[in-house]
Amino acid sequence: MILDLQNAECGYKGQTVIGPVSFKMDEGDIVCLLGPNGVGKTTLFKTILGFLSPVKGDVLLNGKSRSSYSRKQFARLVSFVPQLAQTPFDYTVFDVVLTGCMSHLGLLQTPGSEDYERAYQMIEELGIGHLAEKKFNEASGGERQMTLIARALMQDADLIIMDEPTAALDFGNQVQVLNCIKRMAQDNSKCIFMTTHNPDHAFLVCNRTLLALPNKEIIAGEVSYVLTEQNLEKAYQTPVKITEAFDNNGDAIKTCVPLLQ
Amino acid sequence: MKSNHTHELISKKRAADALKILILLVVLVVLFIMALGSGRTSVNFFDVVQILLSQFGLNTQPIDESAATVVNLVRLPRIVAAVLVGSALALAGAAYQGLFRNPMVSPDILGASAGAGFGAALALLLDGNVRVVQLASFVTGFIAVMITYVSARKISKGIGKILIFVLCGLIVGTLFQAMISAIKFTADPDSKLPEITYWLMGSIAKVTWNDILVFLVPFLIGSIPLLLLRWRLNSLAFGDVEAEALGVNVDRLRMINILCATLLTSAVVAIAGIIGWVGLIIPHIARFLFGPDNRIVLPASIVIGAAFLVLVDMCCRTFFASEIPLGILTSVVGAPFFFIILIKTQSEKL
């Protein structure tokens, strides 16, 4: 079991903000965290990333708690894809991807030809090879997101945590990132935990979902069990309908439509 | 196929960087020799080379003894000091800019210069000899930064650490500036006040070989760790949280960098007074030439900083009838340059 939350309550200074929640993640799992703004999604997120200790319960990585790992050991198990941001310096896409091998090098080591090779390979696999020398700040939202994903893959951790990877992207780029997430789970046996504001994304790529409600409670389980009309209405305080579309193989894909008043 | 293309691009860039560094080193050596030759007694470029070679017993041709005296005894220590001071300030500046993710940061951001200036002013007021002045300025420079560091660590809670560090540096720096003014106010306006004022303006005119030997200790202790850890600074580009997630111990990295950069800055003030702007503008030139990767920005800053200060010092000695303090000219050159940087960064945003 890569990630194992056991009745974990997350919060600050002994005050529970969100939880308790229990769920497990293993190779190939994609878990989505949904919920309205301000219910403590970030708090849960930071707890899994090891920046906060759980107020109650346990957050275990490979069966051990965060405190038994050093920063570096932890980074080899868990990588983080943050929300899109700019840097004050003009790093190239390649420079950014290369920093992903930080946790695999000693304190005084700098990346060698093997690390360079791996970085080339990552950006090629993600289809951004032609951007290697482009300035990160000047790349489009989708390109920057793919760069940060390449950096996370460079880090070579089993668990990848993604903070709203599809926010701020256009429709096409959203789909591209979702495809990439699915491939990472299927082909590279990564285990992916992501937040999103779009229930459809959970239907598309996730095999399990967490839904945070305004009352600290978290509903966890199979996507179709968690994302029901009633639960979504409870979470977002707005009526929704869930309907189905069919892909080219005739398989049903659920989709969520809000009802305007 | 495609991968080879990327590969090629990057190895080309590496070769270009190596060439640029080589050119900069040649420029530094040429400036160094020119600086040795220029001044009130002018010595021909090639005569300077011969004088330097004969120092190492490599020259068999006869040399002008009086010119050799001027070059070896009067100018050489001063210009070696220019090289060391310029590279120390530029390196500290580059490290701080990477560390604080802010290209507008200079080595005295945490109060090092103001603190060191206070120590020197106090020692001068109390009739301390040269070594006492140097030691006092070094120690107080260090104390000022430690006050900033400890208070910032205590006050900041995770988010916004950098802003807190900069604000604490501002507070401590201003406090020490006020104490410098208080010392100036009490100093005898006929003897002590001008001495303190000139000292604070920054000059390497009176640097001796002994000063340089003393300076070399903090210079090496400060610069070696900065150079060894320079790639790690790249991880801070997106912020502390991301650097931590990449597996970097940010607090430790920050502490080591602040300690080393402070060591360099305080040591500079101790032998040369306050020389502004070098640590701010040189890293910009380095990034302009080489891009933002700190693996190349830090060593490049050392070379460019050294060349810059040798050049400015040469101007101080030759352009005007009487020599002007180095700190004045670095500011005169630095201020307009900074304007250009501001305009350039703003126009890039549009």
Side-chain angles (χ1 to χ4, degrees):
Chain A
M1 210 50 60
I2 292 170
L3 179 68
D4 187 0
L5 272 74
Q6 301 175 344
N7 284 314
E9 294 185 23
C10 312
Y12 301 87
K13 294 177 188 165
Q15 293 285 320
T16 300
V17 174
I18 188 168
V21 58
S22 296
F23 72 99
K24 293 177 199 298
M25 288 183 74
D26 216 336
E27 278 182 9
D29 278 347
I30 305 175
V31 171
C32 237
L33 170 62
L34 284 137
N37 294 330
V39 291
K41 290 202 300 293
T42 311
T43 311
L44 174 61
F45 212 74
K46 281 186 176 170
T47 309
I48 296 175
L49 269 174
F51 292 117
L52 291 173
S53 310
V55 175
K56 269 182 205 154
D58 280 311
V59 176
L60 302 178
L61 270 150
N62 283 348
K64 285 190 273 183
S65 73
R66 162 69 184 92
S67 53
S68 59
Y69 295 106
S70 73
R71 249 292 141 224
K72 201 167 170 183
Q73 289 168 332
F74 191 78
R76 288 187 206 157
L77 295 173
V78 182
S79 61
F80 177 45
V81 178
Q83 287 189 33
L84 289 185
Q86 300 256 319
T87 97
F89 300 115
D90 276 333
Y91 284 103
T92 62
V93 164
F94 189 82
D95 287 336
V96 173
V97 174
L98 198 59
T99 57
C101 66
M102 202 76 64
S103 59
H104 294 273
L105 297 178
L107 187 63
L108 304 180
Q109 266 183 308
T110 53
S113 53
E114 260 176 54
D115 303 302
Y116 273 79
E117 282 305 329
R118 241 162 43 79
Y120 299 136
Q121 209 187 322
M122 291 306 160
I123 58 177
E124 288 301 337
E125 273 176 22
L126 294 185
I128 50 168
H130 57 291
L131 301 173
E133 286 295 287
K134 189 168 182 173
K135 286 173 183 170
F136 179 81
N137 285 340
E138 289 169 8
S140 74
E143 292 167 348
R144 277 186 282 149
Q145 191 67 62
M146 295 311 273
T147 306
L148 296 177
I149 292 174
R151 183 181 67 176
L153 286 173
M154 190 73 190
Q155 201 169 329
D156 202 24
D158 294 330
L159 173 61
I160 300 177
I161 296 184
M162 307 176 91
D163 191 4
E164 295 185 23
T166 53
L169 297 185
D170 69 41
F171 190 69
N173 277 316
Q174 290 184 14
V175 175
Q176 200 196 350
V177 168
L178 291 176
N179 269 323
C180 175
I181 289 170
K182 202 162 188 172
R183 271 203 314 274
M184 289 195 292
Q186 278 171 0
D187 304 347
N188 308 3
S189 336
K190 299 291 180 196
C191 154
I192 292 155
F193 181 85
M194 61 186 264
T195 53
T196 178
H197 282 303
N198 192 336
D200 288 349
H201 292 174
F203 286 129
L204 280 169
V205 295
C206 293
N207 46 14
R208 260 161 313 128
T209 296
L210 306 178
L211 180 64
L213 302 182
N215 60 357
K216 294 183 187 179
E217 195 189 327
I218 296 180
I219 309 171
E222 295 294 322
V223 184
S224 50
Y225 162 77
V226 175
L227 298 186
T228 61
E229 288 172 0
Q230 293 82 358
N231 284 344
L232 284 168
E233 214 170 309
K234 235 195 272 176
Y236 293 104
Q237 317 278 321
T238 186
V240 298
K241 287 283 172 215
I242 289 171
T243 174
E244 282 182 350
F246 295 92
D247 67 11
N248 294 338
N249 301 326
D251 292 333
I253 305 166
K254 282 192 176 176
T255 179
C256 169
V257 184
L259 302 178
L260 302 184
Q261 280 120 17
Chain B
M1 191 63 200
K2 259 185 176 175
S3 171
N4 281 338
H5 177 65
T6 317
H7 208 175
E8 218 170 76
L9 267 177
I10 284 161
S11 44
K12 256 188 202 164
K13 188 179 178 296
R14 280 183 141 185
D17 285 353
L19 184 67
K20 278 187 263 183
I21 285 277
L22 197 69
I23 294 172
L24 285 173
L25 280 170
V26 171
V27 169
L28 173 61
V29 170
V30 170
L31 280 172
F32 188 85
I33 295 169
M34 279 171 66
L36 282 172
S38 59
R40 212 159 293 164
T41 321
S42 168
V43 183
N44 178 289
F45 186 90
F46 294 101
D47 291 343
V48 173
V49 176
Q50 282 187 346
I51 291 167
L52 286 179
L53 286 177
S54 59
Q55 278 274 340
F56 301 101
L58 294 169
N59 180 39
T60 49
Q61 287 175 358
I63 50 165
D64 180 352
E65 283 304 326
S66 67
T69 310
V70 171
V71 169
N72 285 331
L73 291 180
V74 182
R75 290 186 191 149
L76 195 57
R78 166 179 196 156
I79 292 159
V80 169
V83 168
L84 292 175
V85 166
S87 49
L89 287 174
L91 177 61
Y96 268 146
Q97 290 181 4
L99 195 65
F100 289 103
R101 274 199 292 292
N102 189 335
M104 300 300 169
V105 156
S106 70
D108 42 17
I109 188 83
L110 300 182
S113 295
F118 166 73
L122 188 65
L124 288 167
L125 183 75
L126 301 175
D127 280 321
N129 67 23
V130 182
R131 290 281 171 266
V132 173
V133 173
Q134 287 175 350
L135 186 70
S137 95
F138 182 76
V139 170
T140 48
F142 221 86
I143 290 173
V145 175
M146 288 308 112
I147 295 172
T148 304
Y149 183 78
V150 171
S151 48
R153 280 291 302 262
K154 280 245 184 287
I155 294 167
S156 68
K157 297 263 186 294
I159 309 296
K161 259 185 195 161
I162 287 181
L163 184 65
I164 300 288
F165 267 89
V166 173
L167 288 176
C168 287
L170 192 73
I171 296 168
V172 173
T174 313
L175 186 66
F176 276 97
Q177 284 292 353
M179 294 200 286
I180 291 176
S181 297
I183 288 176
K184 281 181 168 174
F185 183 71
T186 53
D188 178 352
D190 292 322
S191 58
K192 290 287 174 217
L193 184 57
E195 201 185 340
I196 294 171
T197 309
Y198 281 123
W199 196 91
L200 287 174
M201 279 176 188
S203 168
I204 47 172
K206 289 180 196 145
V207 172
T208 65
W209 284 118
N210 274 336
D211 293 338
I212 289 172
L213 283 178
V214 171
F215 177 77
L216 270 178
V217 178
F219 179 76
L220 292 176
I221 297 175
S223 54
I224 291 171
L226 286 182
L227 287 173
L228 288 175
L229 292 170
R230 66 192 192 277
W231 185 59
R232 310 225 126 212
L233 282 180
N234 287 4
S235 70
L236 295 174
F238 291 92
D240 292 2
V241 170
E242 281 187 48
E244 296 254 338
L246 286 171
V248 175
N249 189 332
V250 175
D251 280 337
R252 189 178 61 187
L253 183 67
R254 181 157 29 226
M255 190 183 73
I256 295 172
N257 269 271
I258 288 177
L259 270 175
C260 293
T262 304
L263 214 61
L264 291 173
T265 316
S266 304
V268 165
V269 182
I271 69 160
I274 295 172
I275 297 173
W277 296 96
V278 179
L280 182 63
I281 60 175
I282 299 301
H284 280 275
I285 301 177
R287 276 195 297 272
F288 177 76
L289 291 173
F290 295 94
D293 187 343
N294 287 303
R295 273 180 299 173
I296 186 90
V297 168
L298 263 64
S301 294
I302 289 183
V303 182
I304 302 170
F308 176 77
L309 215 61
V310 170
L311 180 68
V312 173
D313 180 57
M314 191 159 65
C315 297
C316 286
R317 289 182 293 126
T318 50
F319 281 9
F320 307 94
S322 70
E323 189 180 323
I324 58 165
L326 190 60
I328 295 179
L329 207 57
T330 56
S331 302
V332 170
V333 176
F337 187 86
F338 204 55
F339 261 123
I340 296 170
I341 292 170
L342 278 177
I343 293 165
K344 194 174 156 278
T345 49
Q346 285 305 305
S347 62
E348 269 175 8
K349 275 182 189 158
L350 295 173

